[in-house]
Amino acid sequence: MMRYILFSLFFVVCVFCQNSIGAQNNQNGTIVFEAYSISVDLRPLDINELTIFFDETAEQDSNNVAAIENLNRWNIFHKVDKDIGYRIYFEFYADTEGKWQFDFVYDAGIVSGVLIDQKEVFFSDMDKYIDIQKPMVKTVALKHGWHKFEFLALENCCGSPITIRVKKPDMKEFKVISDKTLQLRSITQ
């Protein structure tokens, strides 16, 4: 009887450990997509004001996604895609040092910007509609190691889906940013 109890206890502990390990693995390699309910009184004038706007906004939805392709509020949260602040962030490993290219397809009626390692890659306070036929491409020189990526945009009407792609120095073509094209890990804000 004692042997049966010990075996049962060992089995339960093993199952618990396996579930814990699986949960930890599931938390790695995440892209966080957040959509905020917005009302903009003063248009952000620079990337710092834009970041502060997101940090101070209380109402938000948040979800992890596997790839940044055709993301909008309806696709992810099944909520109306208007008057929204979009924020997408993740941490990725640069296994190849050199010039990395990112291309962006999105709609932002108020303001948009990108930070890598808290440094501005671009910022625009103009109405932007960037089509899949002619994406906006930005180049960033990266060293080996982990880097933090953050896309921010405010859209006051019916935003189109957001797609962000990457081309590493050793790649011939752009690929959608995903847990397959980049080594990702979860980050906390």
Side-chain angles (χ1 to χ4, degrees), residues 137-154:
V137 177
K138 295 294 175 183
T139 302
V140 182
L142 296 176
K143 296 189 179 291
H144 287 279
W146 289 99
H147 301 277
K148 181 179 175 183
F149 178 99
E150 190 167 13
F151 171 85
L152 307 163
L154 302 180

Side-chain angles (χ1 to χ4, degrees), residues 114-151:
V114 164
L115 297 161
I116 294 183
D117 300 330
Q118 278 85 45
K119 293 180 185 152
E120 181 181 328
V121 174
F122 79 85
F123 173 82
S124 173
D125 65 351
M126 297 173 63
D127 185 350
K128 288 252 185 216
Y129 176 75
I130 300 166
D131 190 273
I132 192 78
Q133 302 302 321
K134 202 171 181 185
M136 176 176 63
V137 177
K138 295 294 175 183
T139 302
V140 182
L142 296 176
K143 296 189 179 291
H144 287 279
W146 289 99
H147 301 277
K148 181 179 175 183
F149 178 99
E150 190 167 13
F151 171 85

Side-chain angles (χ1 to χ4, degrees), residues 21-34:
I21 291 167
Q24 287 175 351
N25 288 341
N26 288 340
Q27 290 173 359
N28 292 334
T30 59
I31 299 168
V32 182
F33 176 81
E34 299 176 344

Side-chain angles (χ1 to χ4, degrees), residues 30 36 39 50 52 54 62 69 83 85 89 96 116 125-126 142 172 175:
T30 59
Y36 297 73
S39 66
L50 181 57
I52 290 167
F54 279 90
S62 182
E69 184 173 30
D83 297 331
Y89 60 95
T96 308
I116 294 183
D125 65 351
M126 297 173 63
L142 296 176
K172 292 192 189 301
K175 305 258 184 187

Side-chain angles (χ1 to χ4, degrees), residues 37-100:
S37 175
I38 65 166
S39 66
V40 180
D41 297 323
L42 277 168
R43 178 191 296 259
L45 298 177
D46 58 36
I47 195 77
N48 294 324
E49 287 186 11
L50 181 57
T51 303
I52 290 167
F53 175 89
F54 279 90
D55 290 340
E56 292 179 348
T57 302
E59 293 182 35
Q60 66 182 36
D61 298 310
S62 182
N63 201 5
N64 293 333
V65 294
I68 310 177
E69 184 173 30
N70 294 325
L71 297 187
N72 64 21
R73 196 174 192 224
W74 178 256
N75 292 342
I76 304 304
F77 305 108
H78 301 292
K79 295 185 178 178
V80 176
D81 195 39
K82 61 179 271 183
D83 297 331
I84 291 299
Y86 293 117
R87 185 185 200 188
I88 297 169
Y89 60 95
F90 56 90
E91 200 168 42
F92 69 100
Y93 188 78
D95 52 3
T96 308
E97 191 167 307
K99 292 183 179 177
W100 287 55

